[in-house]
Amino acid sequence: MATTDKSAKEEKASKNAAKKASRASGTKSTAANTETRKRRAQAVATKSATRKADRASAKDEKSLSDLFEHALGDIYYAEKKIYKSLPKMIKAADHPELVEALTSHREETAGQIEKLEAIFELLGKRAKAEKCDAIDGILEESESLLEDFGSSVAADAAIIFSCQAIEHYEITRYGSMRAFADALGLDEAKQHIDDILAQEKAADASLTELAEDSVNAAAAEYDDE
């Protein structure tokens, strides 16, 4: 029995070494064909639905599907926190177009949360948030800025400043998740992510336009005095 266990461990170590060597070579992998993508997506769903706790905690067993699930829980946590934080920003905003943009994006965020829950369902998982220190830090900074600038002439500029930090975080996360879903053959999940990513990019562009067209200039006028 001990010999069998040793042999299995050696085989596993050999496979892991081969994988690492392949990654280190920098050789570009051939894109999976349609049939391979389907098999891969089915394998991911099965693995996700049946994974045991001890296997999930084993570092040497982690794969891209595990990373995708982690990212999904991470962004699910982030979106729910963002949804709760937006009313305070909306209340503090003065420019009517900024109020409208933030209100509209909060409604979009509610829909994005539902799309993320749909992705969890595709994986056969219950929607579960993973604490995200990154978004907590960004939102904490936003709170601090609101305290410092909320009653000033630069309040709207500060709100946009904070919101764009949030948007850029989301865009980078969704961009990576889109690539993961594509590699794993999770086409339906990828479509949900594409939809959310388009909304985040549009929201960021809208904030940039508003800042550059009126908000920044209006606040800067007071620096002439």
Side-chain angles (χ1 to χ4, degrees):
M1 183 67 177
T3 303
T4 303
D5 289 343
K6 183 178 180 181
S7 177
K9 287 180 180 178
E10 288 176 347
E11 183 180 354
K12 180 178 178 182
S14 177
K15 287 181 179 179
N16 286 339
K19 289 176 183 177
K20 289 181 180 180
S22 176
R23 292 198 300 270
S25 70
T27 304
K28 186 175 181 180
S29 300
T30 304
N33 60 33
T34 302
E35 189 59 35
T36 300
R37 287 171 60 79
K38 286 181 180 179
R39 288 200 306 270
R40 190 174 291 168
Q42 290 170 354
V44 170
T46 300
K47 177 183 176 183
S48 178
T50 61
R51 183 185 294 112
K52 294 180 180 179
D54 59 345
R55 187 169 187 275
S57 65
K59 290 183 179 179
D60 60 345
E61 293 292 341
K62 298 290 188 182
S63 65
L64 188 63
S65 61
D66 295 296
L67 182 57
F68 180 74
E69 278 191 41
H70 173 82
L72 181 60
D74 180 284
I75 201 68
Y76 184 59
Y77 174 95
E79 292 291 12
K80 295 184 84 171
K81 291 276 289 195
I82 292 164
Y83 183 80
K84 290 180 180 178
S85 72
L86 277 169
K88 192 169 184 178
M89 294 187 185
I90 293 169
K91 185 176 180 181
D94 291 319
H95 198 296
E97 288 183 33
L98 179 56
V99 172
E100 182 182 351
L102 295 179
T103 302
S104 175
H105 193 57
R106 187 169 190 259
E107 293 171 0
E108 285 184 337
T109 302
Q112 291 169 0
I113 291 170
E114 292 177 359
K115 286 181 183 295
L116 294 175
E117 290 170 346
I119 297 174
F120 275 110
E121 189 173 344
L122 287 171
L123 297 176
K125 305 283 286 187
R126 178 178 63 84
K128 182 181 178 181
E130 292 281 348
K131 189 176 186 306
C132 173
D133 292 332
I135 199 64
D136 282 342
I138 292 171
L139 291 175
E140 183 179 336
E141 182 187 48
S142 298
E143 287 272 348
S144 178
L145 281 168
L146 210 53
E147 289 178 9
D148 289 344
F149 292 91
S151 59
S152 74
V153 295
D156 286 343
I159 290 170
I160 292 175
F161 180 67
S162 294
C163 286
Q164 289 199 291
I166 295 168
E167 291 298 343
H168 289 194
Y169 172 79
E170 291 178 289
I171 289 168
T172 59
R173 282 299 197 237
Y174 282 120
S176 293
M177 288 176 66
R178 180 189 183 282
F180 295 161
D182 183 54
L184 293 167
L186 301 173
D187 294 334
E188 194 170 345
K190 177 172 167 286
Q191 184 58 60
H192 285 312
I193 295 167
D194 275 335
D195 293 342
I196 298 173
L197 189 54
Q199 289 178 332
E200 302 296 5
K201 288 181 177 179
D204 181 54
S206 176
L207 290 171
T208 295
E209 183 179 359
L210 184 57
E212 294 179 352
D213 285 355
S214 58
V215 170
N216 291 351
E221 288 178 1
Y222 291 83
D223 289 302
D224 295 335
E225 297 177 359

